[in-house]
Amino acid sequence: MQPAPDATVFIVDDDDSVREALGWLLRTRQLPSERFAAAEEFDRLLARGYVPSQPCCLLLDVRMPGLSGLALFDRIAERGLVDVLPVIFLTGHADVPTAVDMVKRGAFDFCEKPFSDNALVDRVEQALQRSAQVLAQRRERSRIAARLAELTERERDVMHLVARGLPNKLIADQLAISVRTVEVHRSRVFDKMEVKSAVELANLLREAPAP
């Protein structure tokens, strides 16, 4: 699976030569990049409300003047972007224990300097695939939420009982309505939720966002 053609790799490193080298390396795999000379620059992007809508990942140096890579990662985590914006730390030997701790806290990975070019880009591609999967899941949850919003209160009542596998007669008894009314509501629920069976409906609701 190749990353989407509109994927972006963000590079945050205070070393001009590192940024240039990484940009060149990514171009060898047809991966576009955006480069930042300081963590503060990327933080300003976040402060303006940036939320990824296309696959992306971040190559982040641990040690930089001013705002460190670790502090920037914390801000990314606070905004709930760690899953959709996977972070790969670029570390020196002395930073490895810290980088390992960041991975435990949600960073995608770390690469110790000097790193293998191929290994690094392989991990970048895997991070972009992760980002794409998360974005797809979020879009699907949004679609499910939109379908749920179209249901009436009574259709929701019927839907949850249908998803539990109850037959129409028991649903009618529980809701004190006729079996025919249950059948009508059931049909409307299936149409609005775009499913064809109770099993498919139950599976779809497991993917639904929490109310």
Side-chain angles (χ1 to χ4, degrees):
M1 177 180 177
Q2 292 296 316
D6 49 4
T8 300
V9 181
F10 297 108
I11 301 168
V12 179
D13 195 301
D14 64 307
D15 189 319
D16 293 347
S17 61
V18 171
R19 293 196 308 276
E20 289 298 324
L22 288 172
W24 176 86
L25 175 62
L26 293 167
R27 285 195 297 275
T28 66
R29 298 270 191 107
Q30 289 75 52
L31 293 173
S33 64
E34 293 186 23
R35 285 162 271 179
F36 300 80
E40 288 87 351
E41 293 181 13
F42 193 81
D43 189 48
R44 283 194 287 273
L45 177 66
L46 297 176
R48 291 196 296 269
Y50 170 72
V51 176
S53 59
Q54 301 296 340
C56 58
C57 72
L58 172 60
L59 292 175
L60 180 58
D61 190 21
V62 171
R63 296 190 182 188
M64 290 178 284
L67 187 69
S68 70
L70 302 178
L72 178 59
F73 175 79
D74 286 338
R75 296 186 183 187
I76 293 169
E78 287 168 2
R79 289 177 167 86
L81 300 178
V82 169
D83 288 339
V84 72
L85 176 60
V87 175
I88 299 174
F89 279 108
L90 304 177
T91 73
H93 177 72
D95 299 317
V96 168
T98 301
V100 170
D101 182 59
M102 291 298 104
V103 170
K104 291 178 180 177
R105 292 172 52 191
F108 187 78
D109 204 350
F110 68 91
C111 288
E112 186 178 355
K113 301 174 182 177
F115 42 75
S116 160
D117 289 353
N118 285 332
L120 175 60
V121 182
D122 286 347
R123 289 303 280 159
V124 165
E125 290 183 338
Q126 290 161 14
L128 292 172
Q129 290 168 14
R130 165 83 65 82
S131 178
Q133 290 167 358
V134 171
L135 285 167
Q137 290 166 357
R138 291 186 177 186
R139 284 192 287 268
E140 179 61 16
R141 287 196 293 268
S142 294
R143 284 193 288 267
I144 294 171
R147 294 177 210 168
L148 288 169
E150 295 180 1
L151 299 178
T152 66
E153 184 175 351
R154 179 57 82 190
E155 286 168 351
R156 283 173 176 268
D157 294 338
V158 170
M159 175 187 69
H160 290 300
L161 295 175
V162 168
R164 285 169 49 190
L166 272 65
N168 290 349
K169 179 64 170 64
L170 286 181
I171 294 174
D173 291 343
Q174 286 203 23
L175 299 179
I177 56 179
S178 70
V179 172
R180 176 57 186 157
T181 299
V182 171
E183 291 171 349
V184 170
H185 286 314
R186 183 187 185 111
S187 176
R188 289 175 178 167
V189 167
F190 280 19
D191 285 344
K192 291 180 180 180
M193 297 305 294
E194 301 178 18
V195 298
K196 296 180 179 179
S197 70
V199 171
E200 191 177 348
L201 178 63
N203 290 335
L204 187 69
L205 292 180
R206 278 194 284 271
E207 299 297 324

Coordinates of all heavy atoms in Angstrom, one line a residue, residues 107-197:
A107 N 4.0 8.6 20.5 CA 4.8 8.9 19.3 C 4.9 7.6 18.5 O 4.8 6.5 19.0 CB 6.2 9.4 19.7
F108 N 5.0 7.8 17.2 CA 5.0 6.7 16.3 C 6.3 5.9 16.4 O 6.3 4.7 16.4 CB 4.7 7.2 14.8 CG 4.6 6.1 13.8 CD1 3.4 5.4 13.7 CD2 5.6 5.7 13.0 CE1 3.2 4.4 12.8 CE2 5.4 4.7 12.1 CZ 4.2 4.0 12.0
D109 N 7.4 6.6 16.4 CA 8.7 5.9 16.5 C 9.8 6.9 16.7 O 9.5 8.1 16.8 CB 8.9 5.2 15.1 CG 9.9 4.0 15.3 OD1 10.5 3.9 16.4 OD2 10.1 3.2 14.3
F110 N 11.0 6.5 16.8 CA 12.2 7.4 16.8 C 13.3 6.8 15.9 O 13.4 5.5 15.8 CB 12.7 7.6 18.2 CG 13.3 6.4 18.9 CD1 14.7 6.1 18.8 CD2 12.5 5.5 19.6 CE1 15.2 5.0 19.4 CE2 13.1 4.3 20.2 CZ 14.4 4.1 20.1
C111 N 14.1 7.6 15.4 CA 15.2 7.2 14.6 C 16.5 7.8 15.1 O 16.5 9.1 15.2 CB 15.0 7.6 13.1 SG 13.8 6.6 12.3
E112 N 17.4 7.0 15.5 CA 18.7 7.5 16.1 C 19.6 8.0 15.0 O 19.8 7.3 14.0 CB 19.3 6.4 16.9 CG 20.5 6.9 17.7 CD 21.1 5.8 18.6 OE1 20.5 4.7 18.6 OE2 22.2 6.0 19.2
K113 N 20.2 9.2 15.2 CA 21.2 9.7 14.3 C 22.5 9.0 14.5 O 22.9 8.8 15.6 CB 21.3 11.2 14.5 CG 20.1 12.0 14.3 CD 20.3 13.5 14.6 CE 19.0 14.3 14.5 NZ 19.2 15.7 14.9
P114 N 23.3 8.7 13.4 CA 22.9 8.8 12.0 C 22.0 7.7 11.7 O 22.2 6.5 12.1 CB 24.2 8.7 11.3 CG 25.1 7.9 12.2 CD 24.7 8.3 13.6
F115 N 20.9 8.0 10.9 CA 19.9 6.9 10.7 C 20.1 6.4 9.2 O 20.7 7.0 8.4 CB 18.5 7.5 10.8 CG 18.3 8.9 10.3 CD1 18.2 9.1 8.9 CD2 18.3 10.0 11.1 CE1 18.1 10.4 8.4 CE2 18.1 11.2 10.6 CZ 18.0 11.4 9.3
S116 N 19.6 5.2 9.0 CA 19.5 4.6 7.7 C 18.5 5.3 6.9 O 17.3 5.4 7.3 CB 19.2 3.1 7.8 OG 18.8 2.6 6.6
D117 N 18.8 5.8 5.7 CA 17.9 6.5 4.8 C 16.7 5.7 4.5 O 15.5 6.1 4.6 CB 18.6 7.0 3.6 CG 19.6 8.1 3.8 OD1 19.6 8.6 4.9 OD2 20.3 8.5 2.9
N118 N 17.0 4.4 4.1 CA 15.9 3.6 3.6 C 14.9 3.2 4.8 O 13.7 3.2 4.7 CB 16.4 2.3 3.0 CG 16.9 2.5 1.6 OD1 16.5 3.4 0.9 ND2 17.9 1.7 1.2
A119 N 15.5 2.9 6.0 CA 14.7 2.6 7.1 C 13.9 3.7 7.6 O 12.7 3.6 7.9 CB 15.7 2.1 8.3
L120 N 14.4 5.0 7.5 CA 13.7 6.1 7.9 C 12.5 6.3 7.0 O 11.3 6.5 7.4 CB 14.5 7.4 7.9 CG 13.8 8.7 8.2 CD1 13.1 8.7 9.6 CD2 14.8 9.9 8.1
V121 N 12.7 6.3 5.7 CA 11.6 6.5 4.7 C 10.6 5.4 4.8 O 9.4 5.7 4.6 CB 12.1 6.7 3.3 CG1 11.0 7.0 2.3 CG2 13.1 7.9 3.2
D122 N 11.0 4.2 5.1 CA 10.1 3.1 5.3 C 9.1 3.4 6.4 O 7.9 3.2 6.3 CB 10.8 1.8 5.5 CG 11.4 1.2 4.3 OD1 11.1 1.7 3.2 OD2 12.3 0.3 4.5
R123 N 9.7 3.9 7.5 CA 8.9 4.3 8.7 C 8.0 5.5 8.4 O 6.8 5.5 8.8 CB 9.7 4.6 9.9 CG 10.4 3.3 10.5 CD 9.4 2.3 10.8 NE 8.7 2.5 12.1 CZ 7.6 2.0 12.5 NH1 6.9 1.2 11.7 NH2 7.1 2.3 13.7
V124 N 8.5 6.4 7.6 CA 7.6 7.5 7.2 C 6.4 7.0 6.4 O 5.3 7.5 6.6 CB 8.4 8.5 6.4 CG1 7.5 9.5 5.6 CG2 9.4 9.3 7.2
E125 N 6.7 6.1 5.5 CA 5.5 5.6 4.6 C 4.5 4.9 5.5 O 3.3 5.0 5.3 CB 6.1 4.7 3.5 CG 6.8 5.5 2.5 CD 7.3 4.6 1.3 OE1 7.5 3.4 1.5 OE2 7.6 5.1 0.2
Q126 N 5.0 4.1 6.5 CA 4.1 3.4 7.4 C 3.3 4.4 8.3 O 2.2 4.2 8.6 CB 4.9 2.5 8.3 CG 5.5 1.3 7.5 CD 6.6 0.6 8.3 OE1 6.9 0.8 9.4 NE2 7.4 -0.3 7.6
A127 N 4.0 5.5 8.7 CA 3.3 6.5 9.5 C 2.2 7.2 8.6 O 1.1 7.5 9.1 CB 4.3 7.6 10.0
L128 N 2.5 7.4 7.3 CA 1.5 8.0 6.5 C 0.3 7.1 6.3 O -0.9 7.5 6.2 CB 2.1 8.4 5.1 CG 3.1 9.5 5.2 CD1 3.8 9.7 3.8 CD2 2.5 10.8 5.6
Q129 N 0.6 5.8 6.2 CA -0.5 4.8 6.1 C -1.3 4.8 7.3 O -2.6 4.7 7.3 CB 0.1 3.4 5.8 CG 0.7 3.2 4.4 CD 1.5 2.0 4.3 OE1 1.4 1.1 5.1 NE2 2.3 1.9 3.3
R130 N -0.7 4.9 8.5 CA -1.5 5.0 9.8 C -2.4 6.3 9.7 O -3.5 6.2 10.1 CB -0.5 5.1 10.9 CG -1.1 5.5 12.3 CD -1.8 4.4 13.0 NE -0.8 3.4 13.4 CZ 0.0 3.5 14.5 NH1 -0.1 4.6 15.3 NH2 0.8 2.6 14.8
S131 N -1.8 7.4 9.3 CA -2.6 8.6 9.3 C -3.8 8.5 8.3 O -4.9 8.9 8.7 CB -1.7 9.8 8.8 OG -2.4 11.0 8.7
A132 N -3.6 7.8 7.2 CA -4.6 7.6 6.2 C -5.7 6.7 6.8 O -6.9 7.0 6.6 CB -4.1 7.0 4.9
Q133 N -5.4 5.7 7.6 CA -6.3 4.8 8.2 C -7.2 5.6 9.2 O -8.4 5.4 9.3 CB -5.6 3.6 8.8 CG -5.0 2.7 7.8 CD -4.1 1.7 8.5 OE1 -3.8 1.7 9.7 NE2 -3.5 0.8 7.7
V134 N -6.5 6.4 10.0 CA -7.2 7.2 11.1 C -8.2 8.2 10.4 O -9.3 8.3 10.9 CB -6.2 7.9 12.0 CG1 -6.9 8.9 12.9 CG2 -5.4 6.9 12.8
L135 N -7.7 8.8 9.4 CA -8.6 9.8 8.7 C -9.8 9.1 8.1 O -10.9 9.6 8.2 CB -7.8 10.5 7.6 CG -6.9 11.6 8.0 CD1 -5.9 12.0 6.9 CD2 -7.6 12.8 8.5
A136 N -9.6 7.9 7.5 CA -10.7 7.1 6.9 C -11.7 6.7 8.0 O -12.9 6.8 7.8 CB -10.2 5.9 6.2
Q137 N -11.2 6.3 9.2 CA -12.1 5.9 10.3 C -12.9 7.1 10.8 O -14.1 7.0 11.1 CB -11.2 5.3 11.4 CG -10.6 4.0 11.1 CD -9.5 3.6 12.1 OE1 -9.2 4.4 13.0 NE2 -9.0 2.4 11.9
R138 N -12.2 8.3 10.9 CA -12.9 9.5 11.3 C -14.0 9.9 10.3 O -15.1 10.3 10.7 CB -11.9 10.6 11.5 CG -11.0 10.4 12.7 CD -10.1 11.7 13.0 NE -9.3 11.5 14.1 CZ -8.6 12.4 14.7 NH1 -8.5 13.6 14.1 NH2 -7.8 12.2 15.8
R139 N -13.7 9.8 9.0 CA -14.7 10.1 8.0 C -15.9 9.2 8.1 O -17.0 9.6 8.0 CB -14.1 10.1 6.6 CG -13.2 11.3 6.3 CD -12.9 11.4 4.8 NE -11.9 10.4 4.5 CZ -10.6 10.6 4.5 NH1 -10.1 11.8 4.8 NH2 -9.7 9.7 4.1
E140 N -15.6 7.9 8.3 CA -16.7 6.9 8.4 C -17.5 7.2 9.6 O -18.8 7.1 9.6 CB -16.1 5.5 8.5 CG -17.2 4.4 8.6 CD -18.2 4.3 7.5 OE1 -17.9 4.9 6.4 OE2 -19.2 3.7 7.6
R141 N -16.9 7.5 10.8 CA -17.7 7.9 12.0 C -18.6 9.1 11.7 O -19.7 9.2 12.2 CB -16.8 8.1 13.2 CG -16.2 6.8 13.7 CD -15.6 7.0 15.1 NE -14.4 7.9 15.1 CZ -13.2 7.5 15.0 NH1 -12.9 6.2 14.8 NH2 -12.2 8.3 15.0
S142 N -18.0 10.0 11.0 CA -18.8 11.2 10.7 C -20.0 10.9 9.8 O -21.1 11.4 10.0 CB -18.0 12.3 9.9 OG -17.0 12.8 10.8
R143 N -19.8 10.0 8.8 CA -20.9 9.5 8.0 C -22.0 8.8 8.8 O -23.2 9.0 8.6 CB -20.4 8.6 6.9 CG -19.7 9.4 5.7 CD -19.5 8.5 4.5 NE -18.5 7.5 4.8 CZ -17.2 7.7 4.5 NH1 -16.8 8.8 3.9 NH2 -16.3 6.7 4.7
I144 N -21.5 8.0 9.7 CA -22.5 7.2 10.6 C -23.3 8.2 11.5 O -24.5 8.1 11.6 CB -21.8 6.2 11.5 CG1 -21.1 5.1 10.6 CG2 -22.7 5.6 12.5 CD1 -20.2 4.2 11.3
A145 N -22.6 9.2 12.0 CA -23.2 10.2 12.9 C -24.3 11.0 12.1 O -25.4 11.3 12.6 CB -22.2 11.2 13.5
A146 N -24.0 11.3 10.8 CA -24.9 12.0 10.0 C -26.2 11.1 9.7 O -27.3 11.6 9.8 CB -24.3 12.4 8.7
R147 N -26.0 9.8 9.5 CA -27.1 9.0 9.3 C -28.0 8.9 10.6 O -29.2 8.9 10.6 CB -26.7 7.6 8.9 CG -26.0 7.5 7.6 CD -25.5 6.1 7.3 NE -24.3 6.1 6.4 CZ -23.5 5.0 6.2 NH1 -23.8 3.9 6.9 NH2 -22.5 5.1 5.5
L148 N -27.3 8.7 11.7 CA -28.0 8.6 13.0 C -28.8 9.9 13.3 O -29.9 9.8 13.9 CB -27.0 8.4 14.2 CG -26.4 7.0 14.3 CD1 -25.2 7.0 15.3 CD2 -27.4 6.0 14.6
A149 N -28.3 11.0 12.9 CA -29.0 12.3 13.1 C -30.3 12.4 12.3 O -31.2 13.1 12.7 CB -28.1 13.5 12.7
E150 N -30.5 11.5 11.3 CA -31.7 11.5 10.5 C -32.8 10.7 11.1 O -34.0 10.8 10.7 CB -31.4 11.0 9.1 CG -30.5 11.9 8.3 CD -30.2 11.3 6.9 OE1 -30.8 10.2 6.6 OE2 -29.5 11.9 6.1
L151 N -32.5 9.9 12.1 CA -33.5 9.0 12.7 C -34.4 9.8 13.7 O -33.9 10.7 14.4 CB -32.8 7.9 13.5 CG -31.9 6.9 12.7 CD1 -31.3 5.9 13.6 CD2 -32.7 6.3 11.6
T152 N -35.6 9.4 13.8 CA -36.5 9.9 14.8 C -36.2 9.2 16.1 O -35.6 8.2 16.1 CB -38.0 9.7 14.4 OG1 -38.3 8.3 14.4 CG2 -38.3 10.3 13.0
E153 N -36.8 9.7 17.2 CA -36.6 9.1 18.5 C -37.1 7.7 18.5 O -36.5 6.8 19.0 CB -37.2 9.9 19.6 CG -37.0 9.4 21.0 CD -37.6 10.3 22.1 OE1 -38.0 11.4 21.8 OE2 -37.6 9.9 23.3
R154 N -38.3 7.5 17.9 CA -38.9 6.1 17.9 C -38.0 5.2 17.0 O -37.8 4.0 17.4 CB -40.3 6.2 17.4 CG -41.0 4.8 17.3 CD -41.0 4.1 18.7 NE -42.1 4.6 19.5 CZ -42.2 4.3 20.8 NH1 -41.2 3.6 21.4 NH2 -43.2 4.8 21.5
E155 N -37.5 5.7 15.9 CA -36.7 4.9 15.1 C -35.4 4.5 15.8 O -34.9 3.4 15.6 CB -36.3 5.6 13.8 CG -37.5 5.7 12.8 CD -37.3 6.7 11.7 OE1 -36.3 7.5 11.7 OE2 -38.1 6.7 10.7
R156 N -34.9 5.4 16.6 CA -33.7 5.0 17.4 C -34.0 3.9 18.4 O -33.2 3.0 18.6 CB -33.2 6.2 18.2 CG -32.4 7.2 17.3 CD -32.1 8.5 18.1 NE -31.3 9.4 17.4 CZ -29.9 9.4 17.4 NH1 -29.3 8.6 18.1 NH2 -29.3 10.3 16.7
D157 N -35.2 4.0 19.0 CA -35.6 2.9 20.0 C -35.6 1.6 19.3 O -35.1 0.6 19.8 CB -37.0 3.3 20.6 CG -37.0 4.5 21.4 OD1 -35.9 4.9 21.9 OD2 -38.0 5.1 21.6
V158 N -36.3 1.6 18.1 CA -36.4 0.3 17.4 C -35.0 -0.1 16.9 O -34.7 -1.3 17.0 CB -37.3 0.5 16.1 CG1 -37.3 -0.7 15.2 CG2 -38.8 0.8 16.6
M159 N -34.2 0.8 16.4 CA -32.9 0.4 15.9 C -32.1 -0.3 17.0 O -31.4 -1.4 16.7 CB -32.1 1.7 15.5 CG -30.7 1.4 15.1 SD -29.8 3.0 14.8 CE -29.6 3.6 16.5
H160 N -32.0 0.2 18.2 CA -31.2 -0.4 19.2 C -31.7 -1.8 19.6 O -30.9 -2.7 19.8 CB -31.2 0.4 20.5 CG -30.4 1.7 20.3 ND1 -29.0 1.7 20.0 CD2 -30.7 3.0 20.4 CE1 -28.6 3.0 19.9 NE2 -29.6 3.8 20.1
L161 N -33.0 -2.0 19.6 CA -33.5 -3.4 19.9 C -33.3 -4.3 18.7 O -33.0 -5.5 18.9 CB -35.0 -3.2 20.2 CG -35.4 -2.5 21.5 CD1 -36.9 -2.3 21.6 CD2 -34.8 -3.1 22.7
V162 N -33.4 -3.8 17.5 CA -33.1 -4.6 16.3 C -31.6 -5.1 16.3 O -31.3 -6.2 16.1 CB -33.4 -3.9 15.0 CG1 -32.8 -4.6 13.8 CG2 -34.9 -3.7 14.8
A163 N -30.8 -4.1 16.7 CA -29.3 -4.4 16.7 C -29.0 -5.5 17.8 O -28.0 -6.2 17.7 CB -28.5 -3.1 17.0
R164 N -29.8 -5.5 18.8 CA -29.6 -6.6 19.9 C -30.1 -7.9 19.4 O -30.0 -8.9 20.1 CB -30.3 -6.1 21.1 CG -29.6 -5.0 21.9 CD -30.4 -4.4 23.0 NE -31.0 -5.4 23.8 CZ -32.0 -5.2 24.8 NH1 -32.4 -3.9 24.9 NH2 -32.5 -6.2 25.5
G165 N -30.8 -8.0 18.3 CA -31.2 -9.3 17.7 C -32.7 -9.6 18.1 O -33.1 -10.8 17.9
L166 N -33.4 -8.7 18.7 CA -34.8 -9.0 19.1 C -35.7 -9.1 17.9 O -35.6 -8.3 17.0 CB -35.3 -7.9 20.1 CG -35.1 -8.1 21.6 CD1 -33.6 -8.0 21.9 CD2 -35.8 -7.1 22.4
P167 N -36.6 -10.1 17.9 CA -37.6 -10.2 16.8 C -38.6 -9.1 16.9 O -38.8 -8.5 18.0 CB -38.2 -11.6 17.0 CG -38.1 -11.8 18.5 CD -36.8 -11.2 18.9
N168 N -39.4 -8.8 15.8 CA -40.3 -7.8 15.8 C -41.4 -7.8 16.9 O -41.8 -6.8 17.5 CB -41.0 -7.7 14.4 CG -40.1 -7.3 13.3 OD1 -39.0 -6.8 13.6 ND2 -40.5 -7.4 12.1
K169 N -41.8 -9.1 17.2 CA -42.9 -9.2 18.2 C -42.4 -8.8 19.6 O -43.1 -8.0 20.3 CB -43.3 -10.7 18.3 CG -44.4 -11.0 19.4 CD -45.7 -10.3 19.0 CE -46.8 -10.8 19.9 NZ -46.6 -10.5 21.3
L170 N -41.2 -9.1 20.0 CA -40.6 -8.7 21.3 C -40.4 -7.2 21.3 O -40.6 -6.5 22.3 CB -39.4 -9.4 21.6 CG -39.5 -10.9 22.1 CD1 -38.1 -11.5 22.4 CD2 -40.4 -11.0 23.3
I171 N -40.0 -6.6 20.2 CA -39.8 -5.2 20.1 C -41.1 -4.5 20.3 O -41.2 -3.5 21.0 CB -39.1 -4.8 18.7 CG1 -37.7 -5.3 18.6 CG2 -39.1 -3.3 18.6 CD1 -37.0 -5.1 17.3
A172 N -42.1 -5.0 19.6 CA -43.5 -4.4 19.7 C -43.9 -4.4 21.2 O -44.5 -3.4 21.7 CB -44.4 -5.1 18.8
D173 N -43.7 -5.5 21.9 CA -44.1 -5.7 23.3 C -43.4 -4.7 24.1 O -44.0 -4.0 25.0 CB -43.9 -7.1 23.8 CG -44.8 -8.1 23.1 OD1 -45.8 -7.7 22.5 OD2 -44.5 -9.3 23.2
Q174 N -42.1 -4.6 23.9 CA -41.3 -3.7 24.8 C -41.6 -2.2 24.6 O -41.6 -1.4 25.5 CB -39.8 -3.9 24.5 CG -39.2 -5.1 25.1 CD -37.7 -5.0 25.3 OE1 -37.1 -4.0 25.4 NE2 -37.0 -6.2 25.3
L175 N -42.0 -1.8 23.4 CA -42.3 -0.4 23.1 C -43.8 -0.1 23.1 O -44.1 1.0 22.9 CB -41.7 0.0 21.7 CG -40.1 -0.2 21.6 CD1 -39.7 0.2 20.2 CD2 -39.4 0.7 22.6
A176 N -44.6 -1.1 23.3 CA -46.0 -1.0 23.4 C -46.6 -0.4 22.0 O -47.4 0.5 22.0 CB -46.4 -0.1 24.5
I177 N -46.1 -1.0 20.9 CA -46.6 -0.6 19.6 C -46.9 -1.8 18.8 O -46.6 -2.9 19.3 CB -45.5 0.3 18.8 CG1 -44.2 -0.5 18.7 CG2 -45.3 1.6 19.5 CD1 -43.1 0.3 17.9
S178 N -47.5 -1.7 17.7 CA -47.9 -2.8 16.9 C -46.7 -3.4 16.2 O -45.7 -2.7 15.9 CB -49.0 -2.5 15.9 OG -48.5 -1.7 14.9
V179 N -46.8 -4.7 15.8 CA -45.8 -5.3 15.0 C -45.6 -4.6 13.7 O -44.5 -4.4 13.2 CB -46.1 -6.8 14.8 CG1 -45.1 -7.4 13.8 CG2 -46.0 -7.6 16.2
R180 N -46.8 -4.2 13.1 CA -46.7 -3.5 11.8 C -45.9 -2.2 11.9 O -45.1 -1.9 11.1 CB -48.1 -3.3 11.3 CG -48.2 -2.5 10.0 CD -47.4 -3.1 8.9 NE -47.4 -2.3 7.7 CZ -46.5 -2.4 6.8 NH1 -45.5 -3.3 6.9 NH2 -46.5 -1.6 5.7
T181 N -46.1 -1.5 13.0 CA -45.4 -0.3 13.3 C -43.9 -0.5 13.4 O -43.1 0.2 12.9 CB -45.9 0.5 14.5 OG1 -47.3 0.8 14.3 CG2 -45.2 1.8 14.7
V182 N -43.6 -1.6 14.1 CA -42.1 -2.0 14.2 C -41.6 -2.3 12.8 O -40.4 -1.8 12.5 CB -42.0 -3.2 15.1 CG1 -40.5 -3.8 15.0 CG2 -42.4 -2.9 16.5
E183 N -42.3 -3.0 12.0 CA -41.8 -3.3 10.7 C -41.6 -2.0 9.8 O -40.6 -2.0 9.1 CB -42.9 -4.2 9.9 CG -43.0 -5.6 10.5 CD -44.2 -6.3 9.9 OE1 -45.0 -5.7 9.2 OE2 -44.3 -7.6 10.2
V184 N -42.5 -1.1 10.0 CA -42.3 0.2 9.2 C -41.0 0.9 9.7 O -40.2 1.4 8.9 CB -43.5 1.1 9.4 CG1 -43.2 2.5 8.8 CG2 -44.7 0.5 8.7
H185 N -40.9 1.0 11.1 CA -39.7 1.7 11.6 C -38.4 1.0 11.3 O -37.4 1.6 10.9 CB -39.8 1.8 13.1 CG -40.8 2.9 13.6 ND1 -40.9 4.1 13.0 CD2 -41.8 2.8 14.6 CE1 -41.8 4.8 13.6 NE2 -42.4 4.0 14.6
R186 N -38.5 -0.4 11.3 CA -37.3 -1.2 11.0 C -36.9 -0.9 9.6 O -35.7 -0.7 9.3 CB -37.7 -2.6 11.2 CG -36.5 -3.6 10.9 CD -37.0 -5.1 11.0 NE -35.9 -6.0 10.9 CZ -35.5 -6.8 11.9 NH1 -36.1 -6.8 13.1 NH2 -34.6 -7.7 11.7
S187 N -37.8 -0.9 8.6 CA -37.5 -0.6 7.2 C -36.9 0.8 7.1 O -35.9 0.9 6.3 CB -38.8 -0.7 6.4 OG -38.5 -0.4 5.0
R188 N -37.4 1.8 7.8 CA -36.9 3.1 7.6 C -35.5 3.2 8.2 O -34.6 3.9 7.7 CB -37.8 4.1 8.4 CG -39.2 4.4 7.6 CD -40.1 5.2 8.4 NE -41.3 5.5 7.7 CZ -42.4 6.0 8.3 NH1 -42.4 6.4 9.6 NH2 -43.5 6.2 7.5
V189 N -35.3 2.5 9.3 CA -33.9 2.5 9.9 C -32.9 1.9 9.0 O -31.8 2.4 8.8 CB -33.9 1.7 11.3 CG1 -32.5 1.4 11.7 CG2 -34.7 2.5 12.3
F190 N -33.3 0.8 8.4 CA -32.4 0.1 7.4 C -32.1 1.1 6.2 O -30.9 1.1 5.8 CB -33.0 -1.2 6.9 CG -32.8 -2.3 7.9 CD1 -32.5 -2.2 9.2 CD2 -32.9 -3.6 7.4 CE1 -32.4 -3.2 10.1 CE2 -32.8 -4.7 8.3 CZ -32.5 -4.5 9.6
D191 N -33.1 1.8 5.8 CA -32.9 2.7 4.6 C -32.0 3.8 5.0 O -31.0 4.1 4.3 CB -34.2 3.2 4.2 CG -35.0 2.2 3.4 OD1 -34.4 1.2 3.0 OD2 -36.2 2.4 3.2
K192 N -32.2 4.4 6.2 CA -31.5 5.6 6.6 C -30.0 5.2 7.0 O -29.1 6.0 6.7 CB -32.2 6.3 7.8 CG -33.5 7.0 7.4 CD -34.1 7.7 8.6 CE -35.4 8.4 8.2 NZ -36.0 9.1 9.3
M193 N -29.9 4.1 7.6 CA -28.5 3.7 8.0 C -27.8 2.9 6.9 O -26.6 2.6 7.0 CB -28.6 2.8 9.2 CG -29.2 3.5 10.5 SD -28.3 5.0 10.9 CE -26.7 4.3 11.4
E194 N -28.5 2.7 5.8 CA -27.9 2.1 4.6 C -27.3 0.7 4.9 O -26.2 0.3 4.6 CB -26.8 3.0 4.0 CG -27.3 4.3 3.6 CD -26.2 5.3 3.1 OE1 -25.1 4.7 2.7 OE2 -26.4 6.5 3.0
V195 N -28.2 -0.1 5.6 CA -27.8 -1.5 5.9 C -29.0 -2.4 5.4 O -30.1 -1.9 5.1 CB -27.6 -1.7 7.4 CG1 -26.4 -0.9 7.9 CG2 -28.8 -1.4 8.2
K196 N -28.7 -3.7 5.3 CA -29.7 -4.7 4.8 C -30.0 -5.7 5.9 O -30.9 -6.6 5.6 CB -29.2 -5.3 3.6 CG -29.0 -4.3 2.4 CD -28.5 -5.0 1.2 CE -28.3 -4.0 0.0 NZ -27.8 -4.6 -1.2
S197 N -29.4 -5.7 7.0 CA -29.6 -6.8 8.0 C -29.4 -6.3 9.4 O -28.6 -5.2 9.6 CB -28.8 -8.0 7.7 OG -27.4 -7.7 8.0

